[in-house]
């Protein structure tokens, strides 16, 4: 299984290394340069607002489906149509709740129209992630790798034309970026559905009441965990835009630093995507998992440490390399944010292991404390320190939750690491 993990990891990392950094630093950053930090900051806050209530759209179905199919692959052809129907019904609930909450917190007119399109985009993304969960659960890792980059590839093509090759002199509008996402995500979702019909089997979109109730009950712990983690990972920019006197500007500065963290975070997320079905199948078959945890953990920890430490010392150069304004301010925020990449990487290893083991109760308790810590720190630090205050809250929360997950995993799974192995990792980080 370790060999399978490494070979498929190389493929998915290679594809993502070609596509996603160019999108993040080439397309997304150029959009901010052209529309300005204020407009982009509002878009960034609305985007993260659309993530906050993703629980009603996903309800833990993606992780539940991956784990279930990895352990019982024979269920794939019989249930994916019903799960797709359930997900469509959840989209209606998600849309009503998200737009309703947006009106309550004070978004109006233009903001609401932009958020409405982002809500639709979240549905397309949810379909893509659901189909990828089928591919990953059945260990079709090459298909999962292709669909992990297809939407971004299409978005690069569309936005490259709009940013650099169109003949019109009209300034680039943030709305164009959102509509381009709609086209790219929609095409990718349709392609994933067509491929699934060939690889898994034909099905009909249907909603089965009893089946849906059973699935929602079984996936609720996953849903609660996703909700809690989504809030404490995404509330920073929303709180910045809402409670700071110069909210859109501070959110834009925060986005400049967060963008690179988000880019490298995508690579760490690839580990979780591969490890969840592998851990689930190994645990179901009573196989030893310590070697896979050790190899994946050491690989991701060393890589994240190298990137985080290097980026910390060259923060101003990195900001100056891609942005035109607020360089010094963004660099200070980025220094704090990028150090959280190390604990985030640890979460993708040990949080994934605990999810595969079904230890959702402990993970949810951990996430509740993480949410309380993050909200408290943001509420205290943002009014005075702005984007840097939000970055401090992120760093503290990520280290707290990562440490908690490691301790829970070691205790529940009853395994440990050799002192020499731990000493080598610690020595390496000190050397950096």
């Amino acid at each position: 299984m370790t060999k399978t993990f490494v070979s498929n990891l190389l493929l998915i990392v290679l594809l993502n290394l070609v596509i996603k950094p160019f999108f993040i630093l080439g397309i997304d950053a150029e959009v901010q340069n052209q529309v300005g930090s204020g407009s982009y900051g509002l878009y960034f806050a609305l985007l993260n607002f659309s993530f906050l209530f993703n629980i009603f759209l996903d309800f833990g179905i993606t992780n539940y489906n991956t784990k279930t199919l990895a352990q019982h692959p024979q269920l794939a052809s019989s249930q994916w149509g019903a799960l797709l129907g359930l997900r469509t019904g959840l989209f209606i609930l998600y849309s009503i709740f998200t737009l309703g909450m947006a009106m309550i917190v004070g978004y109006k007119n233009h903001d609401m129209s932009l958020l409405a399109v982002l809500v639709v985009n979240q549905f397309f993304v949810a379909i893509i992630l659901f189909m990828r969960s089928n591919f990953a659960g059945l260990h079709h890792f090459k298909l999962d790798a292709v669909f992990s980059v297809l939407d971004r590839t299409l978005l690069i093509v569309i936005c490259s034309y709009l940013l650099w090759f169109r003949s019109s002199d009209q300034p680039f509008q943030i709305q164009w970026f959102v509509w381009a996402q709609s086209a790219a995500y929609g095409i990718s979702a349709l392609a994933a559905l067509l491929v699934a019909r060939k690889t898994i089997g034909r099905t009909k979109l249907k909603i089965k009441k009893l089946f849906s109730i059973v699935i929602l009950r079984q996936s609720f712990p996953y849903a609660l965990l996703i909700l809690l983690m989504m809030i404490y990972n995404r509330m920073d920019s929303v709180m910045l835009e809402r409670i700071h006197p110069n909210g859109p500007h501070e959110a834009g500065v925060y986005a400049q630093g967060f963008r690179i963290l988000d880019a490298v975070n995508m690579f760490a997320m690839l580990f979780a995507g591969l490890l969840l079905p592998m851990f689930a199948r190994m645990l179901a078959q009573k196989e030893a998992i310590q070697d896979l945890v050790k190899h994946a953990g050491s690989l991701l920890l060393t890589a994240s440490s190298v990137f985080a430490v290097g980026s910390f010392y060259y923060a101003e150069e990195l900001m100056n390399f891609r942005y035109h304004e607020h360089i010094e301010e963004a660099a200070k925020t980025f220094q704090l944010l990028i150090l959280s990449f190390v604990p985030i990487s640890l979460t993708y290893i040990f949080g994934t292991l605990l999810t595969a083991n079904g230890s959702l109760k402990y993970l949810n308790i951990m996430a509740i404390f993480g949410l309380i810590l993050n909200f408290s720190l943001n509420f205290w630090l943002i009014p005075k320190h702005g984007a840097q205050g939000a970055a401090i809250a992120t760093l503290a929360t990520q280290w707290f939750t990562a440490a908690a997950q490691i301790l829970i995993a070691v205790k529940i799974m009853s395994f440990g690491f050799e002192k020499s192995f731990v000493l080598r990792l610690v020595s390496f980080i000190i050397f950096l």
Side-chain angles (χ1 to χ4, degrees):
M1 192 63 81
T2 300
K3 291 181 180 178
T4 302
F5 167 73
V6 172
S7 61
N8 284 285
L9 179 67
L10 289 174
L11 172 63
I12 199 169
V13 166
L14 179 61
L15 287 175
N16 281 267
L17 192 62
V18 171
I19 300 299
K20 289 185 177 177
F22 181 76
F23 170 75
I24 294 289
L25 300 177
I27 302 297
D28 196 48
E30 182 61 24
V31 169
Q32 182 168 357
N33 284 335
Q34 292 201 20
V35 303
S37 293
S39 294
Y40 190 91
L42 175 62
Y43 154 78
F44 187 64
L46 289 171
L47 176 65
N48 283 290
F49 191 89
S50 72
F51 279 120
L52 288 181
F53 307 106
N54 208 270
I55 172 64
F56 296 107
L57 180 57
D58 181 81
F59 215 84
I61 292 173
T62 298
N63 284 339
Y64 168 81
N65 192 49
T66 301
K67 180 176 179 290
T68 301
L69 293 186
Q71 296 176 338
H72 309 287
Q74 69 276 8
L75 296 176
S77 59
S78 62
Q79 72 175 25
W80 80 273
L83 284 174
L84 191 60
L86 172 58
R87 181 144 245 177
T88 303
L90 289 172
F91 168 64
I92 299 173
L93 177 63
Y94 159 76
S95 302
I96 294 171
F97 194 87
T98 300
L99 295 174
M101 288 299 297
M103 288 188 286
I104 290 173
V105 300
Y107 287 116
K108 297 178 181 179
N109 302 328
H110 170 265
D111 300 348
M112 289 297 296
S113 63
L114 200 61
L115 180 61
V117 182
L118 290 171
V119 163
V120 174
N121 290 352
Q122 288 296 329
F123 176 64
F124 290 145
V125 171
I127 296 298
I128 297 168
L129 291 175
F130 171 67
M131 301 318 303
R132 286 182 58 197
S133 76
N134 285 279
F135 301 144
L138 295 172
H139 283 210
H140 295 323
F141 293 119
K142 290 182 175 60
L143 281 177
D144 182 36
V146 170
F147 281 101
S148 72
V149 297
L150 179 60
D151 54 346
R152 290 295 193 277
T153 303
L154 293 172
L155 197 50
I156 287 172
V157 173
I158 297 170
C159 289
S160 293
Y161 169 76
L162 294 174
L163 287 167
W164 298 302
F165 298 109
R166 59 190 172 88
S167 57
S168 172
D169 293 331
Q170 184 179 359
F172 188 91
Q173 306 293 315
I174 194 66
Q175 295 94 323
W176 299 356
F177 187 44
V178 177
W179 295 335
Q181 292 173 29
S182 301
Y185 296 152
I187 293 170
S188 298
L190 179 60
L193 289 169
L194 293 175
V195 171
R197 289 185 65 186
K198 290 188 176 182
T199 56
I200 302 174
R202 290 178 176 269
T203 190
K204 291 183 178 180
L205 183 68
K206 49 195 172 184
I207 297 180
K208 297 181 178 179
K209 183 177 179 181
L210 184 60
F211 175 82
S212 298
I213 292 173
V214 172
I215 293 298
L216 291 176
R217 284 178 177 173
Q218 292 180 343
S219 63
F220 176 75
Y222 298 90
L224 180 60
L225 178 63
I226 292 170
L227 172 65
L228 295 171
M229 296 184 71
M230 185 68 71
I231 292 176
Y232 76 65
N233 280 316
R234 294 286 180 173
M235 74 163 63
D236 307 68
S237 59
V238 176
M239 292 184 71
L240 266 173
E241 198 272 332
R242 292 283 92 184
I243 69 176
H244 193 275
N246 193 13
H249 167 77
E250 290 295 323
V253 170
Y254 187 82
Q256 288 181 219
F258 186 84
R259 180 174 288 110
I260 296 179
L261 173 63
D262 198 33
V264 294
N265 187 40
M266 290 179 181
F267 289 97
M269 196 183 301
L270 300 176
F271 279 70
L274 285 174
L275 287 172
L276 180 58
M278 291 183 177
F279 281 151
R281 185 164 294 184
M282 292 174 75
L283 290 168
Q285 297 174 356
K286 309 296 183 183
E287 297 179 21
I289 59 168
Q290 186 163 333
D291 282 346
L292 182 55
V293 174
K294 180 179 176 180
H295 282 88
S298 59
L299 180 60
L300 189 52
L301 180 60
T302 52
S304 63
S305 299
V306 169
F307 190 88
V309 172
S311 299
F312 178 89
Y313 282 100
Y314 290 96
E316 192 163 334
E317 287 82 356
L318 284 169
M319 294 297 101
N320 192 54
F321 171 73
R322 195 60 194 91
Y323 302 110
H324 304 327
E325 55 185 6
H326 317 302
I327 303 302
E328 185 178 352
E329 189 179 358
K332 291 178 180 178
T333 301
F334 174 68
Q335 282 184 314
L336 297 165
L337 282 173
I338 200 59
L339 291 180
S340 65
F341 182 43
V342 178
I344 288 173
S345 298
L346 293 171
T347 292
Y348 281 124
I349 302 298
F350 292 95
T352 301
L353 175 60
L354 290 168
T355 300
N357 190 53
S359 305
L360 279 302
K361 175 183 176 181
Y362 298 99
L363 283 173
N364 279 312
I365 293 172
M366 174 277 302
I368 289 171
F369 282 104
L371 173 59
I372 294 171
L373 175 63
N374 190 259
F375 180 84
S376 301
L377 289 174
N378 274 315
F379 193 77
W380 177 41
L381 294 170
I382 284 177
K384 185 176 180 180
H385 300 286
Q388 291 181 48
I392 293 171
T394 295
L395 181 59
T397 303
Q398 295 298 343
W399 273 110
F400 168 78
T401 53
Q405 287 172 79
I406 293 171
L407 292 174
I408 294 169
V410 170
K411 182 177 181 180
I412 291 180
M413 309 296 290
S414 300
F415 70 84
F417 301 106
E418 305 92 340
K419 290 183 179 179
S420 59
F421 172 71
V422 176
L423 183 61
R424 287 198 303 272
L425 288 179
V426 173
S427 300
F428 175 76
I429 294 173
I430 293 173
F431 172 75
L432 285 177

